[in-house]
Amino acid sequence: MNKAVVIFSGGQDSTTCLVQALTQFDEVHAITYDYGQRHRQEIEIAQTLAKKLGVKAHKVMDVTLLNELAVSSLTRDDIPVSHELGENGLPNSFVPGRNILFLTLAGIYAYQVGAKTLITGVCETDFSGYPDCRDEFVKSMNSSLALGMDYKLEIKTPLMWLNKAETWAMADHYQALELVRDESLTCYNGIVGSGCGDCPACVLRANGLQDYLDDKTKVMEDYLSKV
Amino acid sequence: MNKAVVIFSGGQDSTTCLVQALTQFDEVHAITYDYGQRHRQEIEIAQTLAKKLGVKAHKVMDVTLLNELAVSSLTRDDIPVSHELGENGLPNSFVPGRNILFLTLAGIYAYQVGAKTLITGVCETDFSGYPDCRDEFVKSMNSSLALGMDYKLEIKTPLMWLNKAETWAMADHYQALELVRDESLTCYNGIVGSGCGDCPACVLRANGLQDYLDDKTKVMEDYLSKV
């Protein structure tokens, strides 16, 4: 049996990946990380969507241990807690390597349920500045997980080279544009679907949707040419 | 300033690595993982040793989330809980990839405290059967961590090619044979120092020490030829 694990936040990107996976695999598992998000609602939305879409199992993992690794939590005398940016351009409450941890845990989960495919919606196109979302890193991590568990695991990143408009085309291609638009949560202010309309995530999402709707034929062609 | 992070359990191997690191780095941090060991005492011994040896900071991280990834904890109808061995030769309560997780968390910690070196006492010679302790895996994981955090981190494995007798020679070389012998904990039954004498860990440790004591000059030469 063809099994996959999808790293699933309930946002536009991972919901689109989950919808696609459900058409391609016999059994799909979703894993959602709870690291003390501003909105507990995010977890509930992921649970509702996963159930509605018909995953085999949905694992919600508490990864609040990440917060223990923020510089400001290390309880060391010589590093003052600060919200100003450090030399690396990031606040000292920033925890790097979050996605390394997420892939590691999802990889272990995949091994345990016998899935040979691990799917994540990370993307270089809307480049977030996180090095652990880059293609080069994901390929290296794929090798590390396969070696470290002696297990033929393949990490797939269906959105890696898509822009936001093309991600909407992908959702449409899988007959899920309305579902993603109305039931996924990207908004920093916790508003499902169309969102608050003001936060950066809402603006990016709305602009992508508008770009797709403005020229569906061309954007769909662009999407299909990349897959 | 030259900083290192040592993955430290309080056992023979990691205590020896920690002693060495303290002679080679200006600032040494220790990180210990608490995953619900049989003996809480293990954590306390690690804390006592780390303090005595003079580390800059000692981080004890709760990683009981690993237990959630045991097959028997996945609460899935189609995988019965069993202590019998599976097709992979391991019980289904076995969680693979533990060391992948430990290196990931220690790598993030190293980034946060500005350490460019991460030291772990894993070893291929006393081959444990865990693929995530092999040299090939550690090298791959080193690349993944460096790429994923965009950070020049080097993982060092001082014991990778040493046998147990040579690890005792290493402790002796750093004037810590008595400390490791009397104050570290390897015994499965939680007895510090010489241990219970019966469990596999005690037998391996005692045999290694005897081999070293039987021919100190030769074993020390062998150790020094490998470093």
Side-chain angles (χ1 to χ4, degrees):
Chain A
M1 191 188 281
N2 212 1
K3 300 182 188 180
V5 170
V6 178
I7 298 179
F8 180 58
S9 70
Q12 178 193 349
D13 292 349
S14 62
T15 303
T16 304
C17 288
L18 182 56
V19 165
Q20 180 190 48
L22 285 159
T23 70
Q24 297 177 334
F25 294 86
D26 302 318
E27 185 178 303
V28 175
H29 294 249
I31 186 164
T32 298
Y33 297 109
D34 182 356
Y35 46 98
Q37 285 96 329
R38 228 173 328 179
H39 302 282
R40 294 287 318 169
Q41 194 193 353
E42 285 184 39
I43 305 291
E44 287 161 29
I45 283 162
Q47 285 172 317
T48 305
L49 266 172
K51 194 170 181 183
K52 176 171 180 171
L53 288 168
V55 301
K56 170 74 177 174
H58 182 209
K59 178 82 186 160
V60 177
M61 275 205 93
D62 183 327
V63 290
T64 47
L65 88 172
L66 260 181
N67 302 330
E68 278 185 59
L69 288 172
V71 166
S72 51
S73 300
L74 292 177
T75 60
R76 298 179 60 246
D77 298 336
D78 53 343
I79 300 181
V81 178
S82 166
H83 295 290
E84 291 177 25
L85 302 185
E87 286 171 31
N88 53 10
L90 298 164
N92 71 8
S93 60
F94 171 74
V95 178
R98 175 176 294 189
N99 201 42
I100 310 178
L101 179 67
F102 292 174
L103 287 172
T104 297
L105 296 172
I108 295 172
Y109 182 79
Y111 177 102
Q112 296 287 59
V113 300
K116 293 293 173 75
T117 304
L118 172 57
I119 297 165
T120 170
V122 296
C123 162
E124 274 212 15
T125 316
D126 294 320
F127 184 54
S128 60
Y130 296 120
D132 56 352
C133 293
R134 290 181 196 148
D135 191 54
E136 187 187 11
F137 159 74
V138 174
K139 286 187 166 62
S140 174
M141 195 64 204
N142 196 156
S143 301
S144 297
L145 288 172
L147 279 169
M149 300 191 296
D150 196 13
Y151 185 69
K152 284 197 201 314
L153 181 74
E154 188 190 4
I155 303 180
K156 290 195 173 181
T157 54
L159 311 188
M160 185 58 82
W161 308 110
L162 304 186
N163 61 35
K164 269 278 176 278
E166 290 158 356
T167 302
W168 281 110
M170 178 175 161
D172 204 9
H173 181 70
Y174 290 100
Q175 282 89 47
L177 190 140
E178 287 75 17
L179 176 110
V180 174
R181 187 190 63 200
D182 298 339
E183 300 184 40
S184 73
L185 170 63
T186 310
C187 173
Y188 291 166
N189 290 309
I191 302 170
V192 180
S194 60
C196 72
D198 285 327
C199 74
C202 279
V203 171
L204 196 67
R205 174 174 163 142
N207 288 347
L209 181 56
Q210 195 56 52
D211 288 349
Y212 173 57
L213 297 176
D214 284 349
D215 198 348
K216 284 173 94 158
T217 311
K218 163 122 187 19
V219 178
M220 184 61 83
E221 271 175 20
D222 290 346
Y223 160 63
L224 292 172
S225 74
K226 290 183 180 178
V227 295
Chain B
M1 192 189 279
N2 212 2
K3 299 183 189 179
V5 170
V6 178
I7 298 179
F8 180 58
S9 70
Q12 178 192 351
D13 292 348
S14 62
T15 303
T16 304
C17 289
L18 182 57
V19 165
Q20 180 189 49
L22 285 159
T23 70
Q24 297 177 334
F25 294 86
D26 302 317
E27 185 179 304
V28 176
H29 294 250
I31 186 165
T32 298
Y33 297 109
D34 182 356
Y35 47 98
Q37 286 97 330
R38 228 174 326 178
H39 302 282
R40 296 286 316 170
Q41 194 193 353
E42 286 186 38
I43 305 290
E44 285 160 31
I45 282 162
Q47 285 172 317
T48 304
L49 267 172
K51 194 171 180 183
K52 176 171 181 171
L53 289 168
V55 301
K56 171 73 177 175
H58 182 210
K59 178 83 185 160
V60 177
M61 275 204 94
D62 182 327
V63 290
T64 45
L65 88 172
L66 261 179
N67 302 331
E68 279 184 58
L69 287 172
V71 165
S72 50
S73 299
L74 291 177
T75 61
R76 298 177 61 245
D77 298 336
D78 52 343
I79 300 181
V81 177
S82 166
H83 296 290
E84 291 179 25
L85 302 185
E87 284 171 32
N88 54 10
L90 298 164
N92 71 6
S93 60
F94 171 74
V95 178
R98 176 176 292 188
N99 201 41
I100 310 178
L101 178 67
F102 293 174
L103 287 173
T104 297
L105 295 172
I108 296 172
Y109 182 79
Y111 177 103
Q112 296 287 59
V113 299
K116 294 291 174 74
T117 304
L118 172 57
I119 297 165
T120 171
V122 297
C123 162
E124 273 211 14
T125 316
D126 293 319
F127 185 53
S128 60
Y130 296 121
D132 56 352
C133 293
R134 290 181 196 150
D135 190 54
E136 187 187 11
F137 160 73
V138 174
K139 286 187 167 61
S140 175
M141 195 64 203
N142 196 155
S143 300
S144 297
L145 289 172
L147 279 169
M149 300 191 295
D150 196 14
Y151 185 68
K152 284 196 200 314
L153 181 74
E154 189 191 1
I155 303 180
K156 290 195 173 182
T157 53
L159 311 186
M160 186 58 81
W161 308 111
L162 304 185
N163 62 34
K164 269 279 177 276
E166 290 159 354
T167 302
W168 282 110
M170 178 175 161
D172 204 11
H173 181 70
Y174 289 100
Q175 282 88 49
L177 190 139
E178 286 76 17
L179 177 110
V180 174
R181 188 190 61 203
D182 299 338
E183 301 184 41
S184 72
L185 171 63
T186 309
C187 173
Y188 291 165
N189 290 309
I191 301 170
V192 179
S194 60
C196 72
D198 286 326
C199 72
C202 278
V203 171
L204 196 67
R205 175 175 162 142
N207 288 347
L209 181 57
Q210 196 56 54
D211 289 347
Y212 173 57
L213 297 176
D214 283 348
D215 197 349
K216 284 173 93 156
T217 311
K218 163 118 186 22
V219 178
M220 183 61 82
E221 270 175 19
D222 290 346
Y223 160 64
L224 291 172
S225 73
K226 290 184 181 179
V227 297

